[in-house]
């Protein structure tokens, strides 16, 4: 597996991966309408470009040995003082359990340490089974958060954190 630093030329790949992954990740949690709304809000090429260029989110893509992109992560160092936030970490459903997600996470840990971060945190939907993955990595729940994302939709999340 190869981890590739993404740039603007990779926006369509990230978008396509999100559209392939989200129905499996959130299909039983969110309505189809909310799923479509959130995908268009967070994963249009315009939104991704803004995250990359204006918000300074760093994206890496995971490419398997056959040269196929199978997942991605985005993070932001110093999102809070000395804390890195993982904004997105997703792998294709058929590759879950193969270590790709852990490799993406370990990359973020390495980058966080390079930037003298003390912790990594993320938001996870309270009903997302990914919460178990994060707990296995050592994350703990630090608080709950309800975020209004517009269009009468909310994100009902746990904030989870791990020291690095």
């Amino acid at each position: 597996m190869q981890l590739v630093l993404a740039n603007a030329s990779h926006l369509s790949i990230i978008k396509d991966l999100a559209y392939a992954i989200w129905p499996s990740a959130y299909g039983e949690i969110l309505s189809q309408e909310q799923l479509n709304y959130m995908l268009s809000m967070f994963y249009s090429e315009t939104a991704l470009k803004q995250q990359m260029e204006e918000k300074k989110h760093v994206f890496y893509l995971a490419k398997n040995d056959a040269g196929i992109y199978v997942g991605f992560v985005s993070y932001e160092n110093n999102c809070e003082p000395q804390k890195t936030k993982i904004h997105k970490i997703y792998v294709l459903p058929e590759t879950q359990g193969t270590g790709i997600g852990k490799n993406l996470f370990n990359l973020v840990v390495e980058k966080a340490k390079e930037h003298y971060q003390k912790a990594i945190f993320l938001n996870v939907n309270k009903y997302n089974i990914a919460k178990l993955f994060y707990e296995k990595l050592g994350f703990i729940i630090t608080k709950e958060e309800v975020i209004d994302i517009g269009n009468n939709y909310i994100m009902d999340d746990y904030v989870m954190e791990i020291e690095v």
Side-chain angles (χ1 to χ4, degrees):
M1 188 189 65
Q2 183 183 6
L3 298 177
V4 178
L5 178 62
N7 59 43
S9 72
H10 297 106
L11 295 176
S12 65
I13 296 166
I14 296 166
K15 177 184 176 185
D16 290 347
L17 282 167
Y19 275 75
I21 295 166
W22 270 48
S24 172
Y26 297 107
E28 294 183 12
I29 301 170
L30 306 176
S31 69
Q32 187 63 49
E33 294 77 18
Q34 183 170 352
L35 191 72
N36 293 340
Y37 174 78
M38 292 178 72
L39 280 168
S40 66
M41 187 165 94
F42 298 132
Y43 289 99
S44 70
E45 290 189 31
T46 302
L48 289 167
K49 185 175 181 181
Q50 180 185 34
Q51 292 163 36
M52 213 176 265
E53 294 178 0
E54 294 174 28
K55 296 182 178 180
K56 305 298 182 199
H57 297 183
V58 179
F59 284 78
Y60 275 86
L61 287 155
K63 188 192 284 190
N64 69 14
D65 293 337
I68 298 167
Y69 291 104
V70 294
F72 64 94
V73 66
S74 79
Y75 66 90
E76 177 184 2
N77 288 315
N78 293 308
C79 183
E80 291 182 6
Q82 294 187 294
K83 289 185 180 183
T84 294
K85 180 171 186 176
I86 294 177
H87 289 284
K88 305 168 185 347
I89 183 167
Y90 294 102
V91 298
L92 290 170
E94 62 270 21
T95 67
Q96 290 178 358
T98 64
I100 296 167
K102 188 171 184 181
N103 286 339
L104 289 166
F105 168 71
N106 287 338
L107 172 78
V108 176
V109 170
E110 177 186 314
K111 299 299 181 183
K113 287 179 178 179
E114 286 175 12
H115 288 86
Y116 307 102
Q117 306 292 282
K118 292 185 176 180
I120 296 172
F121 71 102
L122 53 78
N123 283 50
V124 62
N125 182 291
K126 289 179 182 174
Y127 306 101
N128 190 333
I129 60 169
K131 176 181 162 283
L132 301 174
F133 169 72
Y134 302 131
E135 288 173 337
K136 189 175 175 182
L137 292 173
F139 280 85
I140 59 165
I141 295 169
T142 57
K143 64 181 177 180
E144 298 181 19
E145 213 169 46
V146 176
I147 303 163
D148 184 341
I149 57 169
N151 213 35
N152 293 317
Y153 296 125
I154 61 161
M155 294 191 319
D156 189 11
D157 292 351
Y158 290 121
V159 178
M160 301 182 78
E161 187 171 306
I162 187 171
E163 292 182 8
V164 292

